[in-house]
Amino acid sequence: MNTRAWIVFLDESGVSLLPQIRRTYSPRGRTPLLRHRLNWKRASMAGALGYHSTDPDRGARLCFHLKPGSYDTAGLIEVLEQMKVFYRGERVVLVWDGLSAHWSRAMRAWVAEQDWLTLERLPAYAPELNPVELLWSSLKKRELANLAGDHLADVADATEQGIHRINANPRLPWSFLAHTGLTIHPPHPPNLRKDQVGCVSKVLVTATR
């Protein structure tokens, strides 16, 4: 493994027009009601959290992609192409799970041609080791909670707001990593200076309206 690489965790998740039901507050005796159209249209999200292996001063990096439907190998290669532009030729060690599209013949053939990218596989049945799972949880407990949209664009707008919220707080990606129990040397980032507040970056937010 290149000791000067970015360690990037990637994961996918799905959202739909069916609301993510969460506990909330309401006046006594007035139970909140969610009204929606029973529309099963779905979108898929891909998120990638990157941590530099030797220089935490560079800050964590957040990449995000949203599309209707689900991801296949071709869709994930498109995401990785955008990540390649985002990291501008720097070395990346990509850590993800054993999803078939992650390790398909076409994916492995494409990765073999990428001198900037190395793949590593998470242990089976261990989503708790991926900090992106905490990113999804944060979105679904805040911006997507009890959201009963009429169109996928409503879900996309709320999701983008959540990404901007996380992007604006440089400590959140580190807290997601800490929650997994994993550490990247050095194990704890230094106290952030005022000029480092904006060090979390987002490569792209895309959605079909």
Side-chain angles (χ1 to χ4, degrees), residues 36-99:
H36 57 88
R37 300 175 181 273
L38 287 176
N39 192 315
W40 294 89
K41 287 184 178 179
R42 293 184 59 82
S44 295
M45 308 180 290
L49 285 170
Y51 308 88
H52 199 272
S53 59
T54 61
D55 188 2
D57 284 340
R58 301 187 68 179
R61 290 189 173 184
L62 169 59
C63 307
F64 179 79
H65 187 271
L66 178 69
K67 69 182 294 293
S70 58
Y71 285 104
D72 55 12
T73 296
L76 288 172
I77 288 176
E78 179 184 342
V79 173
L80 296 181
E81 288 278 14
Q82 294 168 359
M83 186 183 298
K84 178 180 181 179
V85 174
F86 181 60
Y87 281 98
R88 299 177 181 177
E90 295 189 84
R91 293 285 302 172
V92 169
V93 177
L94 185 67
V95 184
W96 56 9
D97 60 27
L99 185 73

Side-chain angles (χ1 to χ4, degrees), residues 17-19 34-36 146-150 154:
L17 293 181
L18 297 179
L34 292 177
R35 302 183 185 277
H36 57 88
N146 302 319
L147 175 65
D150 292 326
D154 299 327

